[in-house]
Structure formats: structure tokens, C-alpha cells
Amino acid sequence: MKQRLYHGSNKSIKGKLIPKQSKDVGQNPENLIKGIYSTDIKNLAIAMAIISNKKVKRSSLNFSKYEKGKTKAIIYEGWPEQEYVYLYKLPPTTFAQSKGIAHQFVSTKPINPLSIEKIKVKYHLHLIRKATEEDQKKWKNKFGILKT
């Protein structure tokens, strides 16, 4: 097991992180567990925090296809306008590796963060990108719910 995991959020959370029901337009059961999701890759957690901004309506980030310096979260609708996001460093004790999803871990129990880091979004925009026309077509063909 990893020594430290990361959870990104668009909110500053005081105290324990509490498991919540997640959403996944692709309906992957591993992404629908009521839990706290984390990753062993700091930049993936930061990207997730950025795309969880209320101004971002549709986005994706493929943990399994992560490649350092190349993987970016794709935003299909909206754009983050938040100045800061938060990175929580977590102990791995209650987390289990997701089946078939590299770099993703889930805990169904509340957990106290080891530390919290306030992250300035503008310095991490290299972790996200707007969807291309091709990306938009793929999304629409797969899910059929994209606004244009």
C-alpha cells in the first residue's frame, strides 16, 4: 500500500472527510461507491479538484491512462473560475485500490487528513484542457448528453 494518498476538493473541509455518494455518467460501478476517493498521484488529485468547480458542467479524467506530463482533465462544458482548491493528504489505512482503475483508491469510512494544502488554480491550469471537436464528438456518441 502507498504511504500517502491525495484527495482534491473545491471546498475547504474542516475535520474528517466523510464518504459521499459519487456520480459517474459512464456508470462504472467502481466510480459509484459511497466513499472518499483518492489517488497516489498529487497532480491527479489537483486536477480532480479543479474540474469539480461548480462552473464546470461536464468533464473527464482517466486515471487508468495516466501518463506523467501528458494526462489532462478534459472539460466539455464550462470552465473553472475558482481561485483556490484544496489538496488533502491522507493516510492509506482505510483505502482499497479500485478494481481495474489504476491510481484510484476508495475508503468507505470517515478519515482525518494528515494535512491540507491550499492550491492556487492558476498555477495548475496545465493539468486541464478544453475539449476539442473530436473529444466533443466522442463524448456525445458515448453518452449522448453533451450541450453544444
Side-chain angles (χ1 to χ4, degrees):
M1 178 56 86
K2 305 290 180 179
Q3 288 190 353
R4 181 180 311 148
L5 296 173
Y6 302 96
H7 172 78
S9 177
N10 64 350
K11 296 179 182 122
S12 174
I13 301 166
K14 306 289 184 229
K16 287 186 176 187
L17 299 183
I18 306 297
K20 294 193 177 179
Q21 185 59 55
S22 61
K23 299 174 190 171
D24 181 26
V25 73
Q27 297 296 303
N28 180 333
E30 288 296 311
N31 292 334
L32 295 173
I33 297 166
K34 183 178 181 180
I36 301 162
Y37 286 78
S38 66
T39 179
D40 55 338
I41 299 172
K42 185 176 180 178
N43 279 345
L44 284 177
I46 294 169
M48 283 301 297
I50 293 170
I51 65 175
S52 65
N53 180 281
K54 289 181 182 177
K55 296 289 184 177
V56 175
K57 302 299 180 198
R58 289 184 173 61
S59 60
S60 65
L61 179 55
N62 192 328
F63 278 45
S64 294
K65 293 184 179 177
Y66 175 77
E67 189 177 340
K68 189 174 182 176
K70 293 187 179 182
T71 301
K72 295 183 188 296
I74 301 172
I75 297 176
Y76 297 88
E77 184 182 343
W79 193 252
E81 294 180 6
Q82 198 165 331
E83 188 175 0
Y84 294 97
V85 294
Y86 300 87
L87 181 69
Y88 298 84
K89 293 176 187 166
L90 308 173
T93 51
T94 63
F95 286 86
Q97 170 82 51
S98 294
K99 295 178 182 111
I101 303 176
H103 307 295
Q104 180 173 288
F105 301 81
V106 182
S107 174
T108 57
K109 297 180 177 157
I111 193 159
N112 280 314
L114 298 170
S115 64
I116 304 166
E117 186 178 344
K118 191 174 181 180
I119 304 282
K120 199 156 182 90
V121 172
K122 74 177 185 179
Y123 298 129
H124 293 83
L125 292 176
H126 64 280
L127 300 174
I128 63 173
R129 67 175 177 84
K130 288 187 178 189
T132 64
E133 275 188 46
E134 184 64 28
D135 294 329
Q136 298 272 10
K137 285 178 190 174
K138 285 180 185 176
W139 178 286
K140 189 170 182 180
N141 288 339
K142 189 170 183 178
F143 304 116
I145 56 172
L146 187 65
K147 280 187 174 181
T148 53

